Amino acid sequence: MKATAIANANIALVKYWGKRNADLILPHNGSVSMTCDGLQTRTTVEFAPEYSQDVLVINDEEMRKDEKDIMGHMERIRKMAGLKEHAKMVSETNFPIAAGLASSASGLAALTLAATKASGLSLGERELTILTRMGSGSACRSIVEGFAEWRRGEKEDGSDSYAETIAPKSHWPDFRIIATILTEKKKAVGSRAGMAQTVKTCPYYKEWLSTVNEDIRSVKKGIQERDFTLVGETAEFNCLKMHATMMTTKPPIVYWIPETLDVIHWTRAMRESGTPCYFTIDGGPQVKVMCLEKDLKSLDKELNTLDSVLKTVVCRPGDGAVLTDRHIF
Ligand code: PMV
């Protein structure tokens, strides 16, 4: 009753921000992302009678706070599988967690795949994305390969709110995202609390929602046609609109730090001087710079010379979640 899975983080090109059902994690809007090969979590799960409670260890540290309700997620999986045993879960990431690099997405995706396998469940990809979504919304996109869409869905039971690949990684192998790490501090407001507060108090939240479907159409068209300008312009504007809703909640949520603004302005200056690149930012301070392979070397080198940038991680379109025999324990 032991299994190990590897999953990549994903970075949204059209963001998910806000739940219409917090128990099932059903979003107010659909979203589109790229699964990133450079930001990885490996998780081993074992169910055994000797464990008197569920234990979760991430990067050698036992987790005591359970912001993402991981224990609730394990209970759900145990129920589905008809198991009584508790589990030991050990995760390793190759990037800092909880700093806006979508660590919860790769973590929950790897955990869900490993836990279902260890518990004897055998789910198809769509069912796996639905179950993963109930653990952490954006994680459902990390189950699938390449460019992914998480469909909002209409049904109240969430059965049509799943993620699927809209283009495999081989469709656009030149697309790159340079994730900058500007601080290794944990962020102050988690996405769960942040989005709930936004839905409740942001006067512009309805306006945000009224523009997202058009962004999804444009980004999907851009991906299909490998139109970098269309994807970059749409993704950058979508990110700014999301941050505008965050900043106008009560109390305001400002994820940006001075270094964030430095990289925003740097990206715009590079673009104005003729190198196509665009930025996107999630619920944290780190900036992700989208570019094409032909400009990667020069942009990455320049970024690493900025005082604001501690380091960068380059991501290309990556694989969905997979099982492996390389157990951590
Ligand atoms: O799924 P969560 O709770 O980690 O929320 C993710 C929210 C954003 O990263 C800001 C946007 C997104 O679509 O990934």
Side-chain angles (χ1 to χ4, degrees), residues 139-157:
C140 70
R141 299 183 310 233
S142 277
I143 294 292
V144 305
E145 182 206 331
F147 296 89
E149 178 177 9
W150 170 14
R151 295 172 171 275
R152 176 193 188 275
E154 298 298 328
K155 295 187 181 161
E156 277 180 26
D157 67 359

Side-chain angles (χ1 to χ4, degrees), residues 44-316:
T44 299
V45 177
E46 180 179 49
F47 291 95
E50 71 209 62
Y51 302 131
S52 57
Q53 55 179 20
D54 290 333
V55 178
L56 171 64
V57 178
I58 303 178
N59 294 339
D60 295 328
E61 196 187 322
E62 191 176 328
M63 291 292 122
R64 307 222 169 260
K65 265 170 70 190
D66 189 13
E67 278 164 11
K68 291 277 174 184
D69 193 19
I70 287 172
M71 301 314 173
H73 193 50
M74 289 304 285
E75 201 48 55
R76 182 181 298 125
I77 293 172
R78 227 185 330 262
K79 225 175 177 174
M80 278 176 79
L83 278 184
K84 291 212 162 24
E85 287 81 0
H86 285 99
K88 179 174 173 182
M89 302 161 264
V90 181
S91 273
E92 285 174 355
T93 68
N94 64 351
F95 57 95
I97 60 170
L101 287 183
S103 57
S104 69
S106 61
L108 260 294
L111 179 75
T112 307
L113 178 55
T116 51
K117 178 74 185 169
S119 68
L121 288 167
S122 152
L123 302 180
E125 186 179 88
R126 183 172 295 185
E127 283 65 40
L128 189 61
T129 72
I130 289 175
L131 178 59
T132 304
R133 185 205 76 217
M134 293 192 257
S136 174
S138 60
C140 70
R141 299 183 310 233
S142 277
I143 294 292
V144 305
E145 182 206 331
F147 296 89
E149 178 177 9
W150 170 14
R151 295 172 171 275
R152 176 193 188 275
E154 298 298 328
K155 295 187 181 161
E156 277 180 26
D157 67 359
S159 57
D160 58 352
S161 186
Y162 57 87
E164 64 184 350
T165 294
I166 52 174
K169 61 179 191 174
S170 59
H171 170 74
W172 202 355
D174 288 352
F175 196 94
R176 293 287 176 279
I177 297 179
I178 310 174
T180 65
I181 297 176
L182 310 174
T183 170
E184 302 210 345
K185 272 198 205 139
K186 286 198 177 182
K187 59 189 174 186
V189 186
S191 55
R192 208 158 270 208
M195 62 178 82
Q197 188 177 307
T198 308
V199 173
K200 212 164 151 198
T201 67
C202 172
Y204 309 123
Y205 189 69
K206 270 207 188 95
E207 277 68 29
W208 150 260
L209 284 182
S210 72
T211 68
V212 177
N213 284 344
E214 185 55 36
D215 290 350
I216 292 176
R217 265 194 298 278
S218 298
V219 159
K220 283 172 76 175
K221 182 169 185 280
I223 291 169
Q224 292 314 334
E225 296 172 1
R226 293 189 209 69
D227 180 340
F228 183 69
T229 309
L230 181 58
V231 172
E233 276 179 0
T234 310
E236 190 175 287
F237 196 53
N238 179 269
C239 148
L240 289 170
K241 286 186 287 185
M242 176 184 71
H243 280 269
T245 71
M246 296 163 164
M247 289 179 194
T248 48
T249 62
K250 285 184 187 167
I253 303 167
V254 182
Y255 284 115
W256 300 357
I257 57 177
E259 290 80 357
T260 310
L261 272 167
D262 278 349
V263 182
I264 288 177
H265 287 295
W266 175 88
T267 308
R268 296 178 63 170
M270 293 309 288
R271 196 155 75 220
E272 272 151 33
S273 68
T275 309
C277 57
Y278 297 87
F279 62 83
T280 185
I281 306 159
D282 291 299
Q286 329 288 19
V287 182
K288 288 96 181 188
V289 178
M290 294 165 269
C291 69
L292 291 171
E293 162 63 28
K294 67 180 175 56
D295 300 314
L296 173 70
K297 258 202 182 137
S298 62
L299 288 173
D300 190 40
K301 199 169 157 206
E302 276 270 337
L303 270 170
N304 278 286
T305 65
L306 302 182
D307 287 343
S308 303
V309 175
L310 298 178
K311 59 182 173 190
T312 58
V313 182
V314 175
C315 312
R316 50 178 84 207

